[in-house]
Amino acid sequence: MPFVEISALGKSYPGGFSLRDIDIALERGQILTLMGPSGSGKTSLLRNICGLDTPDSGSIMVGGTDMTHLPVRRRNIGMIFQDLALFPHMTVYDNIAYGLRSMRVPEREARERVRDLSEMLGILDLLNRYPSRISGGQRQRVAVARSVAPSPPLLLLDEPMSSLDSQLRENVRSEIKSFAKKIGLTMIYVTHDRREGFYMGDKAGLMFNGVLSTLRSPEDIFSAPEDEKSARFLGYNVMEDGGERFAFYPTDFEFSDAEPHLEGTVMSSGFEGDIYRMHVSMPDGNSVQLWLPGNRAGSVPGQGSRVSFSITRKERISGFHNSKEY
Amino acid sequence: MAERNGIITGGKLPAWVFVSMPTIFILLVAVYPFLVLVHGNFSLSFFSEITGNSPTAQLVRRGIWNSITQGVLSALASFVVGLPLGIFLGRYEFRLKRALNSLILVPFFLPSLIVVFAVLSGFGNGSAASSILPFSGYLSGGLPGILVVNTFFNAPLVAFFTKTAVERADVSLEEAASTLNSSTFRSFYSLWGRDGIISGLGGAILAFIYSFTGFAAPLIIGGIGSYTLDAWIYFEYRTYNLPAAIFFSITEALILLIPAAIYLLYSSRMVRTTSTGNRERNGTPYRSLFFLAGIAYAILWVATEVYLLSSLIINSLEVRGSSVLGLDNYRYLVSREISSSIGISIQGAVMNTLFYGTVTATMVTAIGIVWVIGKRRLGGGKFLASESFQYVPLVISAVIMGFAILVVFGISAPGNLIWVLIVAAQASVAIPVVLRIIDNGFATIPVSQSEASMILKGIPSLEVELPLAKSAFATSLMFGFAISIGEFSSTNLLASGSFIPLTVMLYSLQGIRLFGPAYAVGTILLIISILAFVIIQKLGERFVAFR
């Protein structure tokens, strides 16, 4: 039996939005990333798992315990919020010790636990400071330490790095993953950034309109998108050719006049360091993105240029795996 | 149990109970007794006493006209005087701002009778002001005197509401406007000052209601001809014409409902420009004209306040028929004579005042906290109907409310429990203001912090929300205490003998023309009010967490 098993979870919210038939199976120590656009239900799902919301149907089992109807305080599931929700009137030490004190852990044990975690996360010298007096990355680590201190069987992270700049984000996500693996933490990590999601997860799932796709490895999800929405979210171009919908990744093309080829007009192009990104307007009114890797100064078609290209690898959109209706 | 399609089943029942607490309290203390009184005593025949040509009808219309005039002019004056103070305090950060803020607020925390006696002392015959500026005597009587009293009392409320909203204005919006070539004035009225003006208007509506329902203050300073509708209701009640008193109290409620409803509707639809970030405004421009004008205006206000309140103290020390100062008035207060003429010793009245104030402030704050926590647990949305209901005690005549409480509960309550009725009446008057303060204080706490505490098995209300809203907590205690010791109409009706507090003693002393001792009682009330103000503010500062 999986360590975390969520079966057929459903929840309706005022306003018409609902989570439908959510199934998740996760082994101990695994990291699952949930990706999807804003408003797709990722946060709602986490709220149901940790007990802030109660599902209308389905079940939530963690470590063999049925948590479906347990109140939030009795679940012992950790959660890191998007805004981190550090208590501004408490020092870093008090924030981290908060959950331990709530569990009536003797102060000496709590102190040791706080010190151990702080040492592992490199925030030992910040314990007497207030959250407003430390940097964004340090706050992130404090939030992790606070959530992990009571040793939750499962930690939920709700886009915790959305407020960090890209450089810091990469460092912190690497630290969180390494920390989680070191202590064998089971995590569900929510993000709308697919690169971050792929990096963090042993397994990944995509959410659209309250429905979660089949969970697969990040590599599987990326290389074979289930449907058009997934393909678009993952950065694929979606086109139609001879009545058949297909997707191709922006790097899977070559400039060529040989038949069969496609033609379009470059609307804009620019250098992003590792690639040149071109937005090409197609005759049917749609636009596609094409990425040219490497540094090709002077040789990339500029705005208004006509380009001919052929697709080197296509993915058919329908018939992949067991697609759900979003 | 769960929440399905917005219909809450058992799981959130306690939160609904919490949210309903103020409504239940108001229903029990204000509405139910009022309806009991109305039932069997209501008659439309008194309508002719408003529209007819009889001498009584003319007197009634004069009472209504006095109320409207005093209410509208006082609200306008309070808004005009209080708004700049609030904008200045909300806009700028500077040394001693907190002290200045507290000083500016002091008059609202004083019973209106103290303000009346302070104005009489400061601008009346023989005052320092009248000897330097002869026209200032004009401000100690008639309609001008009433306006001075009401403005001095209510402008701090307008300033407080304005300041709170201006402080929360989003700095980034203002910066965005300046990059769009917005003028300073446009940025003010459309962005950072907008919420302040609207909140200040809320304060002005309260000023209108308090001034419209003024009872003792207009009679003392304006003379018998300045009687308000509330005073007329009291007169009808005292002459045993209960149906007429009830009819006019309903008329009063209907008049008061109009501005209250307009404001509630408007403010509920208003989109705020409140900050969601934590960016701070750039340093204060100490040399700017606006700052200098603001500080000058604030100092003028504080100087006026200090002058008026010190005049009261000096008057309390004046020995009748002599130019020297002494403690004769205070000696009279501790003499046995006072007990025989008023029915209670000064020590007893002081203890009663402190007791009612403490119990009322604690009870109303507790109700407010329970309510706001319930509201947050239910998602923090607007509960317009129930929130509007909280204003009901403001529109029911306090005289009638006091009498209704006495009739419905007083008959069954043992004589030694009359204090419960007094506290209940004072608490229901305090609820509308105190709940708004608590609501504003809690509104700035992100819901995620309460949820994080819940997930970590903590007690979010005690460990996170109350410590973070400590300032609102202390302020609500202050307002609760102030409204309790200032509430006069229903307290005067309910309290007799050993239950009399200082305000009723003060009114009784001036009624039997013992002005010297009345000034002394006013001074004692002033000291109690200021001490309570300071103590509760300190309490708010030290409040960190329960654990």
Side-chain angles (χ1 to χ4, degrees), chain B residues 192-213:
Chain B
W192 66 266
R194 176 179 165 275
D195 287 3
I197 294 170
I198 293 166
S199 296
L201 277 174
I205 299 274
L206 282 176
F208 171 79
I209 293 172
Y210 290 143
S211 307
F212 186 99
T213 55

Side-chain angles (χ1 to χ4, degrees), chain A residues 11-14 47 50 52 54-56 72-73 76-79 81 83 85-90 98-99 101-104 146-147 150, chain B residues 1-7 12 278 377 446-460 463-465 467-468 544-545 547:
Chain A
K11 167 79 178 173
S12 295
Y13 288 92
R47 292 177 65 85
C50 73
L52 288 172
T54 315
D56 298 339
V72 57
R73 289 171 214 285
N76 195 27
I77 292 176
M79 177 142 164
F81 292 80
D83 63 358
L86 294 178
F87 305 133
H89 58 303
M90 296 182 194
Y98 185 89
R101 286 171 175 165
S102 299
M103 293 163 71
R104 304 276 183 268
R146 185 179 72 174
S147 304
Chain B
M1 303 297 278
E3 180 189 340
R4 290 191 182 85
N5 298 324
I7 300 166
K12 291 188 173 175
N278 53 6
R377 299 296 174 267
V447 174
S448 63
Q449 291 190 351
S450 311
E451 291 179 341
S453 165
M454 254 187 254
I455 286 173
L456 293 163
K457 303 175 193 236
I459 310 164
E463 294 166 359
V464 177
E465 289 158 334
L468 290 177
V544 178
R547 183 182 279 168

Side-chain angles (χ1 to χ4, degrees), chain B residues 381-404:
Chain B
K382 281 268 177 193
F383 297 86
L384 189 60
S386 68
E387 285 182 21
S388 306
F389 193 76
Q390 291 159 11
Y391 288 86
V392 165
L394 285 184
V395 298
I396 294 181
S397 161
V399 172
I400 288 298
M401 189 165 73
F403 181 62

Side-chain angles (χ1 to χ4, degrees), chain B residues 72-123:
Chain B
V72 170
L73 293 178
S74 302
L76 273 175
S78 302
F79 184 71
V80 169
V81 173
L83 189 77
L85 284 172
I87 289 170
F88 170 69
L89 290 172
R91 180 73 172 162
Y92 299 114
E93 290 300 324
F94 52 91
R95 275 186 69 197
L96 300 176
K97 177 180 163 175
R98 285 188 64 184
L100 186 62
N101 185 32
S102 300
L103 279 171
I104 286 173
L105 268 179
V106 161
F108 186 74
F109 291 95
L110 303 176
S112 57
L113 285 180
I114 293 187
V115 178
V116 170
F117 279 82
V119 171
L120 284 172
S121 314
F123 295 135

Side-chain angles (χ1 to χ4, degrees), chain A residues 22-173:
Chain A
I22 306 282
D23 294 316
I24 291 175
L26 200 58
E27 296 303 332
R28 186 190 283 271
Q30 275 192 321
I31 300 175
L32 165 68
T33 49
L34 298 178
M35 295 176 280
S38 300
S40 58
K42 307 182 296 290
T43 299
S44 302
L45 176 55
L46 293 195
R47 292 177 65 85
N48 277 272
I49 297 172
C50 73
L52 288 172
D53 289 347
T54 315
D56 298 339
S57 56
S59 65
I60 300 166
M61 306 282 289
V62 178
T65 308
D66 185 356
M67 303 248 174
T68 319
H69 297 291
L70 281 184
V72 57
R73 289 171 214 285
R74 289 180 55 198
R75 293 195 187 196
N76 195 27
I77 292 176
M79 177 142 164
I80 300 179
F81 292 80
Q82 192 167 4
D83 63 358
L84 304 182
L86 294 178
F87 305 133
H89 58 303
M90 296 182 194
T91 60
V92 166
Y93 178 89
D94 289 333
N95 263 284
I96 301 174
Y98 185 89
L100 298 167
R101 286 171 175 165
S102 299
M103 293 163 71
R104 304 276 183 268
V105 171
E107 192 60 31
R108 202 168 59 179
E109 275 177 48
R111 200 178 306 128
E112 276 175 30
R113 177 86 174 133
V114 173
R115 290 203 159 270
D116 288 348
L117 284 169
S118 308
E119 201 164 0
M120 285 168 84
L121 288 160
I123 49 172
L124 196 55
D125 53 340
L126 307 177
L127 293 179
N128 292 323
R129 297 209 207 155
Y130 284 90
S132 58
R133 302 284 174 206
I134 59 178
S135 71
Q138 289 167 336
R139 275 201 282 270
Q140 219 79 33
R141 292 182 194 109
V142 174
V144 172
R146 185 179 72 174
S147 304
V148 168
S151 306
L154 173 65
L155 179 64
L156 312 175
L157 299 94
D158 185 9
E159 304 198 32
M161 283 183 261
S162 54
S163 60
L164 299 183
D165 62 60
S166 59
Q167 178 72 51
L168 192 54
R169 215 176 154 122
E170 281 176 18
N171 293 341
V172 175
R173 80 185 181 199

Side-chain angles (χ1 to χ4, degrees), chain B residues 159-472:
Chain B
F160 174 74
F161 279 31
T162 307
K163 169 194 160 271
T164 310
V166 170
E167 273 176 344
R168 290 204 191 132
D170 194 332
V171 179
S172 60
L173 294 184
E174 196 184 331
E175 289 170 349
S178 62
T179 64
L180 294 166
N181 303 320
S182 174
S183 67
T184 308
F185 183 63
R186 185 159 181 241
S187 277
F188 161 67
Y189 77 77
S190 65
L191 294 170
W192 66 266
R194 176 179 165 275
D195 287 3
I197 294 170
I198 293 166
S199 296
L201 277 174
I205 299 274
L206 282 176
F208 171 79
I209 293 172
Y210 290 143
S211 307
F212 186 99
T213 55
F215 174 26
L219 288 179
I220 296 171
I221 199 160
I224 196 77
S226 303
Y227 65 91
T228 57
L229 186 54
D230 225 40
W232 185 260
I233 292 167
Y234 185 71
F235 168 76
E236 295 280 18
Y237 158 74
R238 295 292 289 186
T239 52
Y240 305 105
N241 193 357
L242 189 58
I246 288 169
F247 179 82
F248 293 127
S249 69
I250 291 173
T251 308
E252 182 178 279
L254 290 175
I255 296 173
L256 293 177
L257 272 176
I258 296 166
I262 291 171
Y263 178 72
L264 278 176
L265 205 65
Y266 180 64
S267 61
S268 69
R269 290 184 178 178
M270 192 185 83
V271 179
R272 304 255 173 191
T273 56
T274 306
S275 171
T276 48
N278 53 6
R279 287 209 47 202
E280 287 178 12
R281 200 168 278 127
N282 291 334
T284 298
Y286 291 110
R287 290 184 181 180
S288 87
L289 191 62
F290 289 118
F291 179 79
L292 293 173
I295 198 92
Y297 184 61
I299 288 170
L300 178 68
W301 172 270
V302 172
T304 309
E305 188 181 303
V306 169
Y307 167 70
L308 289 177
L309 297 180
S310 51
S311 300
L312 171 72
I313 297 170
I314 291 167
N315 259 18
S316 79
L317 295 169
E318 275 180 0
V319 177
R320 202 170 180 181
S322 159
S323 58
V324 292
L325 299 180
L327 292 171
D328 285 16
N329 294 323
Y330 293 91
R331 277 194 206 102
Y332 178 80
L333 285 184
V334 293
S335 69
R336 285 190 181 173
E337 217 175 318
I338 193 90
S339 299
S340 55
S341 52
I342 305 295
I344 190 169
S345 66
I346 183 71
Q347 296 92 324
V350 168
M351 291 310 289
N352 284 343
T353 302
L354 291 174
F355 179 72
Y356 299 151
T358 308
V359 177
T360 303
T362 311
M363 187 165 80
V364 176
T365 304
I367 289 175
I369 287 169
V370 164
W371 167 74
V372 83
I373 286 171
K375 188 176 155 180
R376 281 171 72 83
R377 299 296 174 267
L378 289 174
K382 281 268 177 193
F383 297 86
L384 189 60
S386 68
E387 285 182 21
S388 306
F389 193 76
Q390 291 159 11
Y391 288 86
V392 165
L394 285 184
V395 298
I396 294 181
S397 161
V399 172
I400 288 298
M401 189 165 73
F403 181 62
I405 290 173
L406 197 61
V407 167
V408 174
F409 301 114
I411 292 164
S412 54
N416 59 356
L417 285 181
I418 287 295
W419 67 268
V420 177
L421 307 184
I422 295 172
V423 167
Q426 294 179 347
S428 67
V429 174
I431 272 183
V433 176
V434 168
L435 262 57
R436 294 285 76 71
I437 292 164
I438 293 178
D439 197 21
N440 280 333
F442 276 68
T444 54
I445 305 168
V447 174
S448 63
Q449 291 190 351
S450 311
E451 291 179 341
S453 165
M454 254 187 254
I455 286 173
L456 293 163
K457 303 175 193 236
I459 310 164
S461 47
L462 295 183
E463 294 166 359
V464 177
E465 289 158 334
L466 277 179
L468 290 177
K470 62 182 179 183
S471 155

